[in-house]
Amino acid sequence: QVRLVESGGGLVQAGGSLRLSCAASGSIFSIGDMGWYRQAPGNQRELVALIAVAGSTTYADSAKGRVTISRDNAENMVYLQMNSLKPEDTDIYYCGAVIRATSTSPFNMYWGQGTQVTVSS
């Protein structure tokens, strides 16, 4: 059983910073891309930032310059440093990762339970 657990969300004032963390655990053979996504109730989940195993990154236009994604492959962790937060960054943030549970299983997408980020004006 693969599990992703996020932490680090909360309430912050506009202009502040938050660092989100996500830990992958359980039956894991290998992890591919890891990313952070955001979703408001009734809306589609959208990409914030993505990081490949080798470290190459992709950011949503709204996140560029304010957000940094990083990962620790030895610890199966992915992080999202968010600076200069704005009220429009308020959302539930989800960690997602493409994971192979065994050497013979395909890569599947797994999601965390989400962590609330609220930015007050």
Side-chain angles (χ1 to χ4, degrees), residues 31-37 47 49-59 69-73 77-79 96-98 107:
I31 303 178
D33 291 351
M34 302 183 82
W36 288 94
Y37 302 76
L47 177 71
L50 191 69
I51 185 166
V53 174
S56 60
T57 57
T58 302
Y59 293 97
I69 189 171
S70 60
R71 65 188 287 170
D72 183 335
N73 291 331
M77 298 284 295
V78 63
Y79 305 96
V98 181
F107 278 101

Tab-separated table of all heavy atoms in Angstrom, residues 31-37 47 49-59 69-73 77-79 96-98 107:
chain	number	residue	atom	x	y	z
A	31	ILE	N	10.030	5.794	-7.587
A	31	ILE	CA	9.167	6.965	-7.744
A	31	ILE	C	9.628	7.757	-8.952
A	31	ILE	O	10.817	8.031	-9.102
A	31	ILE	CB	9.185	7.844	-6.488
A	31	ILE	CG1	8.763	7.045	-5.260
A	31	ILE	CG2	8.265	9.042	-6.677
A	31	ILE	CD1	8.806	7.827	-3.960
A	32	GLY	N	8.704	8.117	-9.795
A	32	GLY	CA	9.003	8.953	-10.953
A	32	GLY	C	8.769	10.415	-10.624
A	32	GLY	O	9.222	10.918	-9.599
A	33	ASP	N	8.046	11.095	-11.482
A	33	ASP	CA	7.746	12.500	-11.237
A	33	ASP	C	6.946	12.673	-9.949
A	33	ASP	O	6.093	11.862	-9.609
A	33	ASP	CB	6.916	13.077	-12.387
A	33	ASP	CG	7.702	13.197	-13.669
A	33	ASP	OD1	8.929	13.002	-13.651
A	33	ASP	OD2	7.073	13.492	-14.712
A	34	MET	N	7.261	13.759	-9.247
A	34	MET	CA	6.500	14.141	-8.063
A	34	MET	C	6.044	15.577	-8.275
A	34	MET	O	6.772	16.383	-8.889
A	34	MET	CB	7.345	14.035	-6.795
A	34	MET	CG	7.897	12.649	-6.551
A	34	MET	SD	8.813	12.521	-4.988
A	34	MET	CE	7.450	12.282	-3.831
A	35	GLY	N	4.879	15.912	-7.760
A	35	GLY	CA	4.391	17.262	-7.998
A	35	GLY	C	3.417	17.739	-6.953
A	35	GLY	O	2.973	16.983	-6.082
A	36	TRP	N	3.146	19.016	-7.052
A	36	TRP	CA	2.145	19.665	-6.214
A	36	TRP	C	1.045	20.232	-7.111
A	36	TRP	O	1.324	20.831	-8.164
A	36	TRP	CB	2.769	20.783	-5.384
A	36	TRP	CG	3.637	20.265	-4.299
A	36	TRP	CD1	4.990	20.075	-4.341
A	36	TRP	CD2	3.215	19.857	-2.985
A	36	TRP	NE1	5.438	19.563	-3.157
A	36	TRP	CE2	4.367	19.419	-2.298
A	36	TRP	CE3	1.989	19.817	-2.332
A	36	TRP	CZ2	4.316	18.956	-0.984
A	36	TRP	CZ3	1.934	19.356	-1.031
A	36	TRP	CH2	3.083	18.940	-0.367
A	37	TYR	N	-0.171	20.041	-6.653
A	37	TYR	CA	-1.340	20.471	-7.400
A	37	TYR	C	-2.252	21.235	-6.445
A	37	TYR	O	-2.159	21.080	-5.221
A	37	TYR	CB	-2.077	19.256	-7.962
A	37	TYR	CG	-1.224	18.400	-8.867
A	37	TYR	CD1	-0.249	17.549	-8.349
A	37	TYR	CD2	-1.379	18.441	-10.248
A	37	TYR	CE1	0.550	16.770	-9.173
A	37	TYR	CE2	-0.589	17.662	-11.085
A	37	TYR	CZ	0.369	16.829	-10.532
A	37	TYR	OH	1.152	16.076	-11.364
A	47	LEU	N	-1.981	21.799	-11.930
A	47	LEU	CA	-0.578	21.678	-11.558
A	47	LEU	C	-0.035	22.994	-11.029
A	47	LEU	O	-0.282	24.053	-11.592
A	47	LEU	CB	0.244	21.249	-12.776
A	47	LEU	CG	1.748	21.156	-12.565
A	47	LEU	CD1	2.095	19.966	-11.691
A	47	LEU	CD2	2.475	21.053	-13.902
A	49	ALA	N	3.510	22.718	-9.547
A	49	ALA	CA	4.918	22.478	-9.860
A	49	ALA	C	5.163	20.979	-9.931
A	49	ALA	O	4.514	20.202	-9.236
A	49	ALA	CB	5.821	23.111	-8.807
A	50	LEU	N	6.124	20.619	-10.772
A	50	LEU	CA	6.449	19.211	-11.010
A	50	LEU	C	7.957	19.067	-11.003
A	50	LEU	O	8.677	19.953	-11.487
A	50	LEU	CB	5.892	18.789	-12.354
A	50	LEU	CG	5.878	17.308	-12.715
A	50	LEU	CD1	4.874	16.562	-11.860
A	50	LEU	CD2	5.550	17.127	-14.193
A	51	ILE	N	8.453	17.955	-10.447
A	51	ILE	CA	9.886	17.703	-10.443
A	51	ILE	C	10.149	16.261	-10.823
A	51	ILE	O	9.528	15.340	-10.294
A	51	ILE	CB	10.512	18.053	-9.070
A	51	ILE	CG1	12.029	17.902	-9.122
A	51	ILE	CG2	9.899	17.242	-7.942
A	51	ILE	CD1	12.743	18.552	-7.937
A	52	ALA	N	11.056	16.072	-11.767
A	52	ALA	CA	11.437	14.740	-12.201
A	52	ALA	C	12.485	14.147	-11.263
A	52	ALA	O	13.032	14.841	-10.399
A	52	ALA	CB	11.988	14.804	-13.633
A	53	VAL	N	12.776	12.877	-11.442
A	53	VAL	CA	13.742	12.187	-10.591
A	53	VAL	C	15.098	12.877	-10.630
A	53	VAL	O	15.755	13.057	-9.601
A	53	VAL	CB	13.876	10.723	-11.019
A	53	VAL	CG1	14.993	10.036	-10.221
A	53	VAL	CG2	12.568	9.979	-10.830
A	54	ALA	N	15.499	13.284	-11.823
A	54	ALA	CA	16.808	13.916	-11.983
A	54	ALA	C	16.821	15.372	-11.553
A	54	ALA	O	17.886	15.990	-11.515
A	54	ALA	CB	17.271	13.796	-13.431
A	55	GLY	N	15.647	15.926	-11.234
A	55	GLY	CA	15.591	17.275	-10.700
A	55	GLY	C	15.077	18.354	-11.619
A	55	GLY	O	14.950	19.508	-11.199
A	56	SER	N	14.782	18.024	-12.856
A	56	SER	CA	14.234	19.049	-13.734
A	56	SER	C	12.835	19.423	-13.248
A	56	SER	O	12.104	18.589	-12.726
A	56	SER	CB	14.182	18.561	-15.179
A	56	SER	OG	13.359	17.412	-15.295
A	57	THR	N	12.488	20.691	-13.399
A	57	THR	CA	11.247	21.213	-12.831
A	57	THR	C	10.372	21.890	-13.870
A	57	THR	O	10.857	22.385	-14.895
A	57	THR	CB	11.550	22.216	-11.708
A	57	THR	OG1	12.371	23.263	-12.226
A	57	THR	CG2	12.253	21.544	-10.547
A	58	THR	N	9.084	21.902	-13.573
A	58	THR	CA	8.085	22.597	-14.373
A	58	THR	C	7.181	23.354	-13.418
A	58	THR	O	6.792	22.817	-12.379
A	58	THR	CB	7.241	21.597	-15.188
A	58	THR	OG1	8.101	20.822	-16.020
A	58	THR	CG2	6.223	22.330	-16.038
A	59	TYR	N	6.881	24.607	-13.757
A	59	TYR	CA	6.030	25.423	-12.903
A	59	TYR	C	4.860	25.986	-13.692
A	59	TYR	O	4.988	26.341	-14.869
A	59	TYR	CB	6.824	26.594	-12.310
A	59	TYR	CG	7.900	26.182	-11.347
A	59	TYR	CD1	9.219	26.052	-11.764
A	59	TYR	CD2	7.586	25.917	-10.015
A	59	TYR	CE1	10.213	25.668	-10.865
A	59	TYR	CE2	8.573	25.541	-9.112
A	59	TYR	CZ	9.882	25.409	-9.552
A	59	TYR	OH	10.855	25.026	-8.665
A	69	ILE	N	10.020	23.975	-6.070
A	69	ILE	CA	9.793	22.569	-5.736
A	69	ILE	C	11.135	21.874	-5.613
A	69	ILE	O	12.067	22.165	-6.370
A	69	ILE	CB	8.885	21.880	-6.782
A	69	ILE	CG1	8.478	20.482	-6.299
A	69	ILE	CG2	9.546	21.833	-8.159
A	69	ILE	CD1	7.406	19.828	-7.157
A	70	SER	N	11.238	20.968	-4.665
A	70	SER	CA	12.459	20.183	-4.491
A	70	SER	C	12.075	18.800	-3.993
A	70	SER	O	10.941	18.577	-3.561
A	70	SER	CB	13.414	20.869	-3.511
A	70	SER	OG	12.803	21.015	-2.241
A	71	ARG	N	13.021	17.878	-4.069
A	71	ARG	CA	12.741	16.521	-3.609
A	71	ARG	C	13.977	15.915	-2.987
A	71	ARG	O	15.108	16.303	-3.297
A	71	ARG	CB	12.212	15.646	-4.751
A	71	ARG	CG	13.179	15.395	-5.864
A	71	ARG	CD	12.504	14.687	-7.053
A	71	ARG	NE	12.212	13.280	-6.794
A	71	ARG	CZ	11.471	12.504	-7.591
A	71	ARG	NH1	10.930	13.025	-8.683
A	71	ARG	NH2	11.266	11.244	-7.291
A	72	ASP	N	13.745	14.950	-2.134
A	72	ASP	CA	14.810	14.167	-1.520
A	72	ASP	C	14.536	12.719	-1.896
A	72	ASP	O	13.657	12.076	-1.314
A	72	ASP	CB	14.796	14.363	-0.009
A	72	ASP	CG	15.923	13.622	0.699
A	72	ASP	OD1	16.415	12.613	0.149
A	72	ASP	OD2	16.296	14.039	1.796
A	73	ASN	N	15.246	12.211	-2.884
A	73	ASN	CA	14.971	10.864	-3.382
A	73	ASN	C	15.300	9.792	-2.341
A	73	ASN	O	14.650	8.746	-2.301
A	73	ASN	CB	15.761	10.613	-4.664
A	73	ASN	CG	15.260	11.453	-5.817
A	73	ASN	OD1	14.086	11.807	-5.883
A	73	ASN	ND2	16.155	11.784	-6.742
A	77	MET	N	10.719	12.176	-0.351
A	77	MET	CA	10.040	13.402	0.052
A	77	MET	C	10.012	14.390	-1.106
A	77	MET	O	10.928	14.431	-1.924
A	77	MET	CB	10.761	14.065	1.220
A	77	MET	CG	10.832	13.259	2.492
A	77	MET	SD	9.274	13.238	3.395
A	77	MET	CE	9.102	14.971	3.837
A	78	VAL	N	8.968	15.211	-1.130
A	78	VAL	CA	8.909	16.334	-2.058
A	78	VAL	C	8.425	17.543	-1.265
A	78	VAL	O	7.608	17.417	-0.359
A	78	VAL	CB	8.011	16.041	-3.277
A	78	VAL	CG1	6.569	15.813	-2.869
A	78	VAL	CG2	8.111	17.149	-4.311
A	79	TYR	N	8.981	18.712	-1.619
A	79	TYR	CA	8.709	19.933	-0.884
A	79	TYR	C	8.235	21.024	-1.843
A	79	TYR	O	8.576	21.028	-3.030
A	79	TYR	CB	9.969	20.421	-0.171
A	79	TYR	CG	10.596	19.388	0.727
A	79	TYR	CD1	11.650	18.601	0.256
A	79	TYR	CD2	10.142	19.194	2.024
A	79	TYR	CE1	12.229	17.646	1.071
A	79	TYR	CE2	10.722	18.238	2.851
A	79	TYR	CZ	11.762	17.460	2.359
A	79	TYR	OH	12.337	16.514	3.169
A	96	GLY	N	1.177	14.751	-5.483
A	96	GLY	CA	0.941	13.637	-6.384
A	96	GLY	C	2.268	13.047	-6.826
A	96	GLY	O	3.248	13.775	-7.001
A	97	ALA	N	2.304	11.746	-7.007
A	97	ALA	CA	3.542	11.100	-7.435
A	97	ALA	C	3.225	9.881	-8.281
A	97	ALA	O	2.239	9.178	-8.036
A	97	ALA	CB	4.381	10.699	-6.231
A	98	VAL	N	4.093	9.640	-9.245
A	98	VAL	CA	3.982	8.450	-10.084
A	98	VAL	C	4.908	7.404	-9.486
A	98	VAL	O	6.124	7.624	-9.395
A	98	VAL	CB	4.377	8.772	-11.538
A	98	VAL	CG1	4.245	7.538	-12.402
A	98	VAL	CG2	3.496	9.886	-12.077
A	107	PHE	N	3.818	2.016	-13.441
A	107	PHE	CA	3.732	3.255	-12.688
A	107	PHE	C	2.254	3.640	-12.557
A	107	PHE	O	1.499	3.623	-13.527
A	107	PHE	CB	4.483	4.385	-13.402
A	107	PHE	CG	5.958	4.374	-13.162
A	107	PHE	CD1	6.838	3.876	-14.111
A	107	PHE	CD2	6.480	4.867	-11.975
A	107	PHE	CE1	8.207	3.876	-13.887
A	107	PHE	CE2	7.842	4.879	-11.742
A	107	PHE	CZ	8.705	4.368	-12.692
